Amino acid sequence: MDNSSPPRTAAALWNDRLGRPAVRAAQVLLLLALATCVVFALTRLSLLVIPVLIAMVVAAALAPLVGILRRLGWPALLATWTTLLTGLILLALVVWLVTLAFQDEWPRLVDEAGRGIEELERFVTDGPLGISPDQIESVRQSAMDALSSDQVQSGAIRGATAAVEAVAGLLLGVVVLFFLLKDGRRMFTFLITPLRAATRRRALQVGERSVEVLGGYLRGTAIVAAVDAVFIGAGLMIVGVPLALPLAAVVFLGAFIPLIGAVLAGVLAALVALVTNGPIAALIVVAIVIAVNQLEGDLLAPVVMGKVLSLHPLVVLSALTAGTVLAGIVGALLAVPLTAVAWAAAKEWNATAPPGERLVPEPSDAESGSWSEHGSGSAPESD
């Protein structure tokens, strides 16, 4: 009597307790490989991708103004040109004012910084550290040799090349911004034309929600950043810190990088106050920055931003880190809004899907509640 089991087929190997996890792991690895290839391709095309992404963010913020002008009866071309030129004129005006203040106060800052460095050298040589002037001169000479090295010169050449690429990217971004403001909806409708009617309607809702979240994030962040810049800039002027207007501009730009941007801008303002006005002024500047940041976090940001950016701080930090690693400062600026848009688009797609096609089933009334009432299961989703 033969007690041997029948041979197992290839299909059975993939359906047992080990085969099913292996299939799932292979699917995950394939998706990760595809995502890696996409990210690598995007980083290789940064001169194209970054201007397009920036143009998309700005277009989402300016689209309501174009819509208002169109509803007032303006032609599409005139409404687009008016919006675009208004934005460019305001940007040029801000840059001109900051540059003018920087040129006026730069000599004073150089003189004060020089005196601060001299006082630091006297403290180092005459204080308890016991460092001799010859050692300081040796460090200074080493720094001069490093600045005149071939690596630094080649880095300067790369910097000049990057400057040319930045100008080209800026021009490309303006052109893309114009067409997105004028024909953005038509472009998106054309892209989703191959989809089925029901799926096309869902994709259109997802696109509208994504534009709403992206524009709301940028407009809200700009309002918060402007309030921060006004209050901190006024505080710097009252204390008598030079370069108050350029530092206020740095605060405005830093507010677009969540979590760390405002902190870095405040540190820079405090350092300038320390070098030029002394430690008491620096402490006053630190107090002003902390007070403004508390006002922003506890009152202004929740009112202005609402639920546009419903991301956990850990997700924000992870997105910032990934964006900085992949694309530097531009990646840090774009990572959080793009992550918020991706999350909002996934939620909208799931909410508009038929019950059998939802990625995450919506909890019923009987299933909603705390863990303590049901003992197991997942916590209800919250914005």
Side-chain angles (χ1 to χ4, degrees), residues 147-203:
L147 290 176
S148 60
S149 63
D150 294 337
Q151 293 181 348
V152 173
Q153 293 177 359
S154 62
I157 296 175
R158 289 195 299 269
T161 304
V164 174
E165 293 180 352
V167 173
L170 178 62
L171 296 176
L172 176 62
V174 172
V175 175
V176 174
L177 175 61
F178 172 80
F179 286 108
L180 287 177
L181 289 175
K182 182 177 179 293
D183 301 319
R185 185 180 179 87
R186 290 168 55 189
M187 291 178 184
F188 183 73
T189 304
F190 173 77
L191 291 176
I192 63 176
T193 299
L195 302 177
R196 294 177 299 176
T199 306
R200 189 162 58 248
R201 287 192 296 270
R202 290 176 59 198

Side-chain angles (χ1 to χ4, degrees), residues 16-259:
D16 58 11
R17 287 182 294 179
L18 181 60
R20 285 189 294 271
V23 171
R24 187 64 66 193
Q27 293 173 338
V28 172
L29 290 176
L30 286 175
L31 291 176
L32 290 176
L34 176 61
T36 302
C37 293
V38 171
V39 171
F40 178 78
L42 293 179
T43 54
R44 296 297 93 187
L45 297 173
S46 59
L47 184 59
L48 171 66
V49 173
I50 291 177
V52 171
L53 290 178
I54 295 176
M56 290 173 58
V57 174
V58 178
L62 297 179
L65 179 57
V66 178
I68 292 174
L69 296 178
R70 293 290 303 277
R71 287 191 294 271
L72 292 176
W74 290 38
L77 187 61
L78 180 59
T80 303
W81 273 116
T82 301
T83 302
L84 183 61
L85 291 178
T86 301
L88 292 177
I89 291 173
L90 290 177
L91 178 61
L93 181 61
V94 171
V95 172
W96 178 73
L97 290 175
V98 171
T99 304
L100 186 63
F102 192 82
Q103 290 177 346
D104 291 340
E105 299 190 26
W106 177 253
R108 176 187 171 190
L109 181 63
V110 172
D111 294 339
E112 296 289 346
R115 284 195 291 270
I117 293 175
E118 292 176 358
E119 293 178 1
L120 180 62
E121 289 183 358
R122 282 197 297 270
F123 172 77
V124 170
T125 55
D126 300 337
L129 298 178
I131 298 177
S132 64
D134 293 337
Q135 291 174 321
I136 295 179
E137 184 62 29
S138 175
V139 172
R140 183 184 290 110
Q141 187 62 40
S142 299
M144 295 298 295
D145 294 339
L147 290 176
S148 60
S149 63
D150 294 337
Q151 293 181 348
V152 173
Q153 293 177 359
S154 62
I157 296 175
R158 289 195 299 269
T161 304
V164 174
E165 293 180 352
V167 173
L170 178 62
L171 296 176
L172 176 62
V174 172
V175 175
V176 174
L177 175 61
F178 172 80
F179 286 108
L180 287 177
L181 289 175
K182 182 177 179 293
D183 301 319
R185 185 180 179 87
R186 290 168 55 189
M187 291 178 184
F188 183 73
T189 304
F190 173 77
L191 291 176
I192 63 176
T193 299
L195 302 177
R196 294 177 299 176
T199 306
R200 189 162 58 248
R201 287 192 296 270
R202 290 176 59 198
L204 190 58
Q205 291 178 337
V206 169
E208 292 175 349
R209 177 58 181 164
S210 300
V211 172
E212 178 185 348
V213 169
L214 193 57
Y217 171 82
L218 187 59
R219 290 189 297 271
T221 304
I223 293 173
V224 173
V227 173
D228 289 351
V230 169
F231 279 97
I232 293 179
L236 294 176
M237 290 181 179
I238 294 173
V239 176
V241 178
L243 298 176
L245 186 57
L247 288 174
V250 172
V251 171
F252 178 81
L253 295 176
F256 285 88
I257 304 179
L259 298 182

Side-chain angles (χ1 to χ4, degrees), residues 265-278:
V267 169
L268 178 61
L271 288 177
V272 173
L274 178 62
V275 171
T276 58
N277 297 69

